[in-house]
């Protein structure tokens, strides 16, 4: 079957058409990667300072046009404009941080040569990979891909970006805005299209794929990357837990957990899906969060489900939970009311039910009371996913956090790591591997080169077929003394 030449984006709230964009073919992907590669050496040659100027100009341009971009994000995703504004603001902060800090974290790093190589100088260089293919999701169509795009560009790479087919307009806008500040630079291309376009980018000659999306798609992409050993960064899904200890500020915990679960209609990879609350405060916590949730209005506090087919997944999870004995303390088994999902909170949901074990990606929450924090930690860690977590305790927050098998934890807060450019972002287990953001995010888009250079000659030469017996004797004795 031949590929359609166009994709159309729609408003999730009204179904109205928003825009038509090319469904980029594999041939065009090949051409874009070739052009990006040709331009990448010049981009590398202008150095950290040159790239910083351009990337900061880009950040400035986006900030100046934030209203226009926020309207587009809101139209394509269905989220409130104020949420779009928040998302874009955090993305600009990351772009600016990456531009300003790439030189600090990617400059040559001197290492100790060690006693055996005392006559050598040793340092590590961080080299750009070349062309990075970025494949993005729709839920945060600016913030999420920017975590790869900004860091890859700042590290000296060219980028070809394939935005989600649900948010092609936002991707196109990002490409156009970069072209306005760096016309003809040819180091940032946007290739709109569907899964086939993403697969073509993955199969192309890119030097790395930075993927953000579902675990199911991540596995397909990793399999394609395995064919050529293309390195891949995987930012996938999660079923993030919140752990609520008996000494927490119940009101603040309820308020933040509710936002962490329901903001963006629950379509947040690091959104909270499961709560484990100490039994001594479970009744108070449940009543507080239910009361707060009762004031939420779908369509005002959060938008429509961006991807209509996700509504079936959410409904399936609610029905499965109901069949397994869940009690709905907010909402009901009929909370899915297209294009919206009403706020839904359930208790008594078995741990093996879909709503607990799989990513629901809707404004829903399961709450389980536990007799101790060690039970909460065990249940939180029992998931196949390990993206992020939130812990609420005045005395033991950090101690609990240190026992969680996940990539990010907020203590007495939710999602705080997203807005902190110095902090690495990513998961473990089926939530993926590799990191965006922070120094780790910059190094994710560079390869290391170890350089060892002779400083002066010494009589002990190891790397020769004419090695003298006294050299062998010396090495043996030396290592024995050092390891006594
Ligand atoms: P998705 O996996 O359906 O699609 C993501 C991207 O992959 C899209 O651009 C899509 O066109 C592309 N794609 C689909 N099939 C492909 C294939 N075979 N080869 C190459 N590309 C392909 O995900 P989504 O529905 O857009 O996003 C929601 C998911 O993303 C959720 O699971 C969420 O948890 C996850 N997510 C993770 C993070 C994170 O940082 N860990 C951030 C945001 C979203």
């Amino acid at each position: 079957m031949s590929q359609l030449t166009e994709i159309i984006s729609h408003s999730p709230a009204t179904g109205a058409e928003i825009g038509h964009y090319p469904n980029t073919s594999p041939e065009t992907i090949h051409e874009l990667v070739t052009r990006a590669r040709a331009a990448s050496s010049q981009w590398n040659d202008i150095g950290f300072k040159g790239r910083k100027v351009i990337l900061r100009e880009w950040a400035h341009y986006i900030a100046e046009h934030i209203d226009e971009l926020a309207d587009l994000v809101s139209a394509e995703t269905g989220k409130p404009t104020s949420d779009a504004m928040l998302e874009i603001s955090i993305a600009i902060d990351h772009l600016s941080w990456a531009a300003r800090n790439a030189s600090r974290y990617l400059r040559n790093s001197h290492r100790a040569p060690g006693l055996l190589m005392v006559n050598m100088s040793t340092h590590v260089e961080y080299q750009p990979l070349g062309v990075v293919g970025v494949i993005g999701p729709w839920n945060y169509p600016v913030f999420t891909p920017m975590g790869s795009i900004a860091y890859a560009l700042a590290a000296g790479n060219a980028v070809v970006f394939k935005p989600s087919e649900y948010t092609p307009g936002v991707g196109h806008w990002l490409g156009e805005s970069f072209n306005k500040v760096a016309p003809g630079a040819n180091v940032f291309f946007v290739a709109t299209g569907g899964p086939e376009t993403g697969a073509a980018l993955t199969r192309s000659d890119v030097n790395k794929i930075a993927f953000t999306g579902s675990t199911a798609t991540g596995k397909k992409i990793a399999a394609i990357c395995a064919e050529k050993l293309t390195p891949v960064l995987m930012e996938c899904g999660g079923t993030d837990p919140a752990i609520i200890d008996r000494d927490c500020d119940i009101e603040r915990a309820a308020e933040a957990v509710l936002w962490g679960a329901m903001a963006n209609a629950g379509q947040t990879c690091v959104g909270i899906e499961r709560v484990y609350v100490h039994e001594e405060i479970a009744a108070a916590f449940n009543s507080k969060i239910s009361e707060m949730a009762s004031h939420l209005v779908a369509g005002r506090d959060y938008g429509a489900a961006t991807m209509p087919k996700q509504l079936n997944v959410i409904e399936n999870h609610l029905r499965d939970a109901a069949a397994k004995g869940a009690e709905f303390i907010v909402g009901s088994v009929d909370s899915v009311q297209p294009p919206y999902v009403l706020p839904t909170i359930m208790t008594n949901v078995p741990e093996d039910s879909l709503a607990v074990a799989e990513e629901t990606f809707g404004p829903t929450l399961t709450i389980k009371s536990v007799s101790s924090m060690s039970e909460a930690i065990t249940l939180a860690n029992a998931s196949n996913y390990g993206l992020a977590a939130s812990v609420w305790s005045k005395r033991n927050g950090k101690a609990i956090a240190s026992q969680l098998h996940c990539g990010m934890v907020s203590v007495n807060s939710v999602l705080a790591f997203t807005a902190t450019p110095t902090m690495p972002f990513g998961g473990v287990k089926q939530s993926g591997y590799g990191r965006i953001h922070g120094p780790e995010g910059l190094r994710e888009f560079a390869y290391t080169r170890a350089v060892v250079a002779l400083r002066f000659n010494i009589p002990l030469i190891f790397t020769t077929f004419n090695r003298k017996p006294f050299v062998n004797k010396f090495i043996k004795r030396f290592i024995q003394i050092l390891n006594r």
Side-chain angles (χ1 to χ4, degrees):
M1 207 169 69
S2 68
Q3 197 175 322
L4 294 171
T5 54
E6 263 193 349
I7 54 167
I8 303 172
S9 74
H10 294 95
S11 154
T14 65
E17 264 186 40
I18 295 174
H20 292 230
Y21 298 91
N23 193 15
T24 311
S25 66
E27 294 74 33
T28 306
I29 287 284
H30 175 75
E31 190 192 309
L32 295 180
V33 172
T34 306
R35 286 173 66 196
R37 184 170 314 290
S40 64
S41 46
Q42 200 183 349
W43 183 244
N44 189 23
D45 289 347
I46 65 172
F48 293 115
K49 267 196 185 150
R51 292 194 292 272
K52 180 164 112 178
V53 170
I54 293 171
L55 294 176
R56 293 203 73 190
E57 267 177 43
W58 191 26
H60 175 71
Y61 181 94
I62 301 173
E64 286 292 300
H65 295 81
I66 194 166
D67 292 323
E68 183 186 317
L69 182 56
D71 284 346
L72 186 53
V73 170
S74 171
E76 286 199 322
T77 62
K79 68 177 73 176
T81 316
S82 68
D83 283 2
M85 198 84 75
L86 178 64
E87 171 190 347
I88 300 165
S89 304
I90 299 172
I92 294 170
D93 201 30
H94 277 282
L95 172 57
S96 172
W97 187 89
R100 284 183 283 111
N101 288 281
S103 60
R104 179 168 174 204
Y105 293 109
L106 298 176
R107 67 177 166 224
N108 293 353
S109 136
H110 287 277
R111 304 288 165 94
L115 286 172
L116 273 180
M117 292 283 159
V118 73
N119 60 324
M120 309 296 273
S121 79
T122 42
H123 75 270
V124 172
E125 295 174 354
Y126 296 95
Q127 293 297 310
L129 300 166
V131 182
V132 174
V134 175
I135 299 177
W138 45 263
N139 59 341
Y140 291 92
V142 180
F143 167 77
T144 292
M146 193 58 94
S148 296
I149 295 165
Y151 290 74
L153 286 172
N157 303 279
V159 169
V160 178
F161 168 41
K162 207 296 278 179
S164 166
E165 56 275 32
Y166 290 92
T167 53
V170 174
H172 179 76
W173 193 99
L174 290 175
E176 290 292 294
S177 61
F178 185 84
N179 272 337
K180 286 204 170 107
V181 301
N186 286 341
V187 291
F188 180 48
F189 290 108
V190 175
T192 49
E196 291 103 356
T197 304
L201 182 59
T202 310
R203 284 204 176 84
S204 73
D205 283 337
V206 289
N207 302 95
K208 183 160 192 159
I209 286 288
F211 169 73
T212 308
S214 63
T215 298
T217 304
K219 288 177 184 174
K220 290 184 197 161
I221 289 180
I224 301 176
C225 286
E227 290 167 18
K228 289 205 234 171
L229 276 191
T230 305
V232 59
L233 162 74
M234 283 285 157
E235 294 288 355
C236 301
T239 54
D240 291 358
I243 294 181
I244 320 282
D245 204 355
R246 57 187 157 184
D247 67 339
C248 76
D249 176 339
I250 295 177
E251 170 128 14
R252 183 64 201 120
E255 188 184 359
V257 167
L258 183 65
W259 184 80
M262 315 244 165
N264 204 30
Q267 306 167 121
T268 303
C269 55
V270 286
I272 293 168
E273 300 216 347
R274 309 176 277 152
V275 170
Y276 299 106
V277 57
H278 197 287
E279 61 190 8
E280 285 177 24
I281 60 156
F285 178 81
N286 290 358
S287 118
K288 185 53 79 185
I289 198 167
S290 310
E291 198 273 321
M292 289 173 173
S294 70
H295 299 293
L296 287 184
V297 178
R300 182 195 69 190
D301 298 305
Y302 59 78
T306 307
M307 190 171 62
K309 66 181 184 215
Q310 190 65 22
L311 292 170
N312 298 333
V313 174
I314 300 169
E315 186 158 13
N316 198 20
H317 284 201
L318 297 184
R319 295 214 176 287
D320 175 69
K324 289 176 175 157
E327 187 189 331
F328 289 77
I329 59 171
V330 176
S332 73
V333 73
D334 297 317
S335 286
V336 175
Q337 300 190 3
Y340 299 103
V341 181
L342 306 183
T344 305
I345 303 181
M346 298 168 278
T347 58
N348 294 329
V349 190
E351 291 298 292
D352 65 353
S353 67
L354 294 171
V356 176
E358 297 298 331
E359 186 180 55
T360 306
F361 230 50
T364 68
L365 194 60
T366 65
I367 305 182
K368 180 176 177 57
S369 76
V370 289
S371 57
S372 67
M373 284 300 101
S374 57
E375 184 187 357
I377 292 163
T378 304
L379 292 172
N381 286 341
S383 171
N384 288 332
Y385 298 93
L387 196 51
S390 170
V391 177
W392 292 82
S393 167
K394 285 187 185 136
R395 280 187 303 272
N396 303 317
K398 286 188 185 162
I400 295 168
S402 69
Q403 296 173 69
L404 295 175
H405 195 189
C406 61
M408 298 158 282
V409 192
S410 295
V411 177
N412 296 322
S413 56
V414 285
L415 275 67
F417 41 79
T418 55
T420 315
T422 52
M423 295 302 279
F425 185 107
V428 295
K429 300 194 269 185
Q430 300 217 9
S431 294
Y433 42 79
R435 293 293 180 265
I436 54 171
H437 303 172
E440 290 81 357
L442 285 165
R443 289 186 181 161
E444 192 71 46
F445 297 107
Y447 69 89
T448 55
R449 182 161 58 213
V451 181
V452 180
L454 183 72
R455 279 198 304 151
F456 54 85
N457 283 314
I458 51 174
L460 295 161
I461 300 176
F462 311 133
T463 51
T464 169
F465 289 112
N466 294 325
R467 201 162 54 230
K468 303 283 182 292
F470 90 90
V471 174
N472 288 335
K473 245 169 129 183
F474 173 83
I475 298 174
K476 185 174 153 191
R477 192 68 198 122
F478 185 72
I479 287 299
Q480 284 172 337
I481 290 167
L482 280 184
N483 292 282
R484 261 208 291 239

